[in-house]
Amino acid sequence: MRLAGRIAAAIEVLTDFETRRVPLKIAIADWSRNARYAGSKDRAWISGLCLDALRRRASLAAMMQDETPRAAIFSALRALWNVAPEDIAEAAAETPHGPGALSETEKSALQKLAALAGDAPDFVRGDYPEWTAPMMNRAFGARAAEEGAALAARADIDLRLNTLKASPEKALVALETVRAEIVPTLTTAARIAAPDPSEKAPAVTVIPAFNKGWVEVQDLGSQIAAAAAGAIKGAQVLDFCAGGGGKTLALAALMENSGQLYAYDNDARRLQPLYERAKRAGVRNLQIINPATDKVALEGFAAKMDVVFVDAPCTGSGTWRRHPDTKWRLTPEQLERRTEEQDAVLRDAAGFVKPGGRLVYVTCSMFLEENEDRLAAFLAENPAFAFEPALERIADSSVLTPEGRAALETCLTPDGALRLTPARMRTDGFFISVLNRAKELMGGRLLFLCGSLDRAALHDEARMTQSGNIL
């Protein structure tokens, strides 16, 4: 396809996305079915341009003084892809494939495209939905626009070096063909820098090192979150919201195939990729608990797990670099549903933590409404749990470097949790917290780490623990 046709296609796809409010990949797939002439490079180009336009949608619209998909595509070409205004004008006017000649207003806007005015609102400079501004301000204060802008940048390709199959040194040598470099935060992390908009990202999943299981594609923040499980070699660990299993595989590597790792998700479809992924990664201590066939399997785990890892369902605001379409599809109603799900997941997962065990709560959200607020509500109803310093548990995992520790110290919250952001850590956005359940003492009494309880509450906690009921 010529430039004219590609630009017209990008405008068509972005218009369809905004009209139907479907995921961008669906809009692109639907366009592709009616454009059999488009090759893989054409589709990648169109997809990349649409994603970049959505990453910077608010600021691009402000610079063009036009919120239409057409304006977004033209301004993304000029501001982000450095295409000359005259080349954009020539392609737009080309018949029959161009999207139509530029108006005088469009020509002028592209010629004068400049940085945003200093008094532009934070949500414009940070490229996030206006209705989320109070939540971003609550999380970041004066740094909201800066953090939002980092979430609007292109993401690196992060890799986890799988020590179950190869040493980090051996895996890194095998990754030279894709220009991967070690990340100094963790001993098992590598990174391929985000490619230029005009370039295609290296195909990591087709190289021998990937097929041998030496390496997994996994954001550095996700790897750090898995390490928050701590020293888990030989432990009993339950990954309660395992999904496709990225963090499950990281936990297995930290366990060195010792102990027992259980992966569960209430949606059996999300677990399906894990079977093949675990085999490729050389995981031998994993039991996948499929709700479609093992409905009662979890009942015997009540109050028996050393660690319960909860990668909770969330709005995904921390992944806006990789999925910019989701930030413009997010609604207050979706946020409300997610917080309800998070409360339910925390309640259910807590019952599997043994006295003295840990509950690791993780989201890929920036919003306190999905993080601190949820834990505050949980702790109010479950006083047997108390915060542990997440950074110390990550240090216990043995993969954290001194440089990594220093960097993570800048991400600490007052409760000892971590809020990772691309601006601070060059990762996706993650919230990582660790809770400890109080130990049981002789006579069935419990030692509560977060304060005293009255006799009735103490009796109820001991009774539930002894009966194996889920808290």
Side-chain angles (χ1 to χ4, degrees), residues 301-456:
F301 296 167
K304 292 183 179 179
M305 294 292 112
D306 296 298
V307 176
V308 176
F309 192 94
V310 177
D311 184 11
C314 67
T315 58
S317 58
T319 66
W320 283 348
R321 298 186 305 166
R322 303 182 192 279
H323 308 290
D325 54 327
T326 61
K327 66 179 169 181
W328 306 114
R329 295 173 58 235
L330 182 63
T331 66
E333 293 75 22
Q334 289 174 327
L335 173 62
E336 183 177 0
R337 287 197 296 271
R338 291 294 175 266
T339 58
E340 291 173 354
E341 292 169 355
Q342 289 151 8
D343 288 341
V345 165
L346 272 169
R347 284 194 303 269
D348 291 345
F352 300 111
V353 182
K354 76 178 187 181
R358 290 192 297 277
L359 176 63
V360 182
Y361 178 76
V362 175
T363 75
C364 51
S365 172
M366 297 291 86
F367 305 144
L368 274 68
E369 288 77 2
E370 298 184 87
N371 299 320
E372 284 92 337
D373 290 359
R374 304 281 54 81
L375 291 176
F378 171 78
L379 290 173
E381 296 181 356
N382 297 270
F385 286 85
F387 281 107
E388 279 195 29
L391 182 53
E392 298 309 318
R393 300 293 77 77
I394 295 170
D396 290 344
S397 72
S398 76
V399 296
L400 183 65
T401 67
E403 296 92 333
R405 184 184 182 101
L408 288 179
E409 286 175 348
T410 69
C411 303
L412 287 170
T413 74
D415 293 320
L418 293 166
R419 181 175 285 103
L420 312 184
T421 72
R424 294 177 181 176
M425 289 294 298
R426 201 171 161 183
T427 66
D428 283 349
F430 276 93
F431 178 80
I432 306 166
S433 58
V434 180
L435 304 178
N436 179 274
R437 181 177 177 180
K439 290 183 178 180
E440 186 175 11
L441 299 182
M442 292 181 63
R445 298 186 64 196
L446 297 174
L447 172 63
F448 292 99
L449 302 181
C450 55
S452 61
L453 288 177
D454 59 31
R455 290 179 178 271

Side-chain angles (χ1 to χ4, degrees), residues 226-281:
I232 51 176
K233 185 176 179 180
Q236 298 289 304
V237 179
L238 171 61
D239 188 353
F240 191 63
C241 304
K247 295 181 184 67
T248 309
L249 300 182
L251 291 168
L254 293 170
M255 296 173 76
E256 299 181 21
N257 265 334
S258 64
Q260 187 65 55
L261 175 60
Y262 304 92
Y264 171 82
D265 198 285
N266 63 5
D267 187 341
R269 294 170 298 180
R270 289 198 289 262
L271 287 168
Q272 193 57 43
L274 182 53
Y275 292 90
E276 182 57 35
R277 293 184 70 185
K279 181 179 179 181
R280 186 182 69 244

Side-chain angles (χ1 to χ4, degrees), residues 62-334:
M63 287 188 286
M64 286 287 286
Q65 294 295 297
D66 186 342
E67 296 183 352
T68 64
R70 175 181 168 100
I73 293 300
F74 288 151
S75 55
L77 283 169
R78 179 71 191 101
L80 307 180
W81 288 37
N82 297 315
V83 179
E86 54 270 25
D87 292 337
I88 296 174
E90 180 181 351
E94 183 179 313
T95 57
H97 302 299
L102 298 181
S103 67
E104 291 303 316
T105 300
E106 289 174 329
K107 289 179 182 178
S108 177
L110 287 175
Q111 287 286 352
K112 299 176 181 178
L113 205 62
L116 289 171
D119 59 352
D122 282 355
F123 73 87
V124 173
R125 292 187 291 122
D127 281 290
Y128 47 84
E130 183 175 4
W131 74 268
T132 67
M135 297 186 294
M136 289 291 287
N137 289 338
R138 187 181 173 206
F140 301 115
R143 299 180 65 249
E146 177 188 348
E147 293 285 355
L151 283 163
R154 282 198 165 204
D156 302 311
I157 302 171
D158 287 348
L159 308 170
R160 181 176 61 80
L161 309 178
N162 179 22
T163 52
L164 296 179
K165 280 294 193 76
S167 68
E169 294 77 14
K170 184 176 181 180
L172 196 62
V173 170
L175 291 170
E176 289 178 351
T177 57
V178 291
R179 304 188 301 277
E181 297 182 353
I182 197 71
V183 177
T185 308
L186 301 180
T187 60
T188 54
R191 170 172 289 154
I192 302 170
D196 183 86
S198 62
E199 296 181 0
K200 189 175 180 180
V204 176
T205 57
V206 300
I207 64 174
F210 179 85
N211 292 317
K212 292 177 181 178
W214 294 3
V215 62
E216 291 284 341
V217 178
Q218 185 176 23
D219 182 78
L220 176 63
S222 179
Q223 298 178 49
I224 294 170
I232 51 176
K233 185 176 179 180
Q236 298 289 304
V237 179
L238 171 61
D239 188 353
F240 191 63
C241 304
K247 295 181 184 67
T248 309
L249 300 182
L251 291 168
L254 293 170
M255 296 173 76
E256 299 181 21
N257 265 334
S258 64
Q260 187 65 55
L261 175 60
Y262 304 92
Y264 171 82
D265 198 285
N266 63 5
D267 187 341
R269 294 170 298 180
R270 289 198 289 262
L271 287 168
Q272 193 57 43
L274 182 53
Y275 292 90
E276 182 57 35
R277 293 184 70 185
K279 181 179 179 181
R280 186 182 69 244
V283 176
R284 299 191 303 273
N285 67 332
L286 174 64
Q287 180 178 332
I288 300 174
I289 303 173
N290 191 320
T293 56
D294 303 320
K295 294 182 179 179
V296 298
L298 287 179
E299 292 182 2
F301 296 167
K304 292 183 179 179
M305 294 292 112
D306 296 298
V307 176
V308 176
F309 192 94
V310 177
D311 184 11
C314 67
T315 58
S317 58
T319 66
W320 283 348
R321 298 186 305 166
R322 303 182 192 279
H323 308 290
D325 54 327
T326 61
K327 66 179 169 181
W328 306 114
R329 295 173 58 235
L330 182 63
T331 66
E333 293 75 22
Q334 289 174 327

Side-chain angles (χ1 to χ4, degrees), residues 5-30:
R6 285 178 164 183
I7 294 174
I11 294 172
E12 181 181 342
V13 167
L14 201 57
T15 300
D16 184 42
F17 163 78
E18 296 203 347
T19 300
R20 292 196 292 155
R21 296 186 65 84
V22 296
L24 183 66
K25 64 180 181 181
I26 291 179
I28 292 173
D30 290 346

